[in-house]
Amino acid sequence: IGVGLVGFGLFFLLFGILLYFDSVLLAFGNLLFLSGLLFIIGFRRTFTFFFQRPKLKGTSFFFGGLLVVLMRWPILGMLLEVYGFISLFR
């Protein structure tokens, strides 16, 4: 279930970008991706991964970007999410 949710989340993110940053598709893709991550590695590991002390800057940018996308500013939100994603996984 988790791999399917992550796959659909990535599909909706890509489709939302291809349709000129459609905010509904981007938000739905983000939510599916995060819920799939929860199913794959579990709630506790997901929480400890995102809220480690050295990764708080990346986490705040990632979730801030998600919030900005939900507020219908998709280009700015995706830029914030990409920066947060890069700082989380470097």
Side-chain angles (χ1 to χ4, degrees):
I1 293 174
V3 174
L5 287 173
V6 168
F8 277 120
L10 291 175
F11 170 74
F12 278 108
L13 283 172
L14 178 67
F15 200 57
I17 290 172
L18 289 175
L19 290 176
Y20 300 110
F21 292 97
D22 183 28
S23 60
V24 175
L25 289 174
L26 291 173
F28 193 60
N30 282 324
L31 294 176
L32 283 175
F33 179 77
L34 289 176
S35 63
L37 190 66
L38 281 172
F39 271 103
I40 290 174
I41 64 174
F43 183 75
R44 178 170 290 192
R45 284 188 179 171
T46 303
F47 186 81
T48 57
F49 172 76
F50 278 110
F51 294 104
Q52 292 175 7
R53 187 83 149 155
K55 296 183 179 185
L56 281 178
K57 180 181 174 184
T59 300
S60 62
F61 272 100
F62 184 76
F63 286 120
L66 177 64
L67 185 67
V68 170
V69 168
L70 289 173
M71 292 181 352
R72 303 225 179 220
W73 288 31
I75 295 174
L76 179 63
M78 287 304 292
L79 288 174
L80 290 173
E81 281 186 34
V82 167
Y83 179 73
F85 189 80
I86 289 171
S87 64
L88 273 173
F89 290 106
R90 63 179 150 119

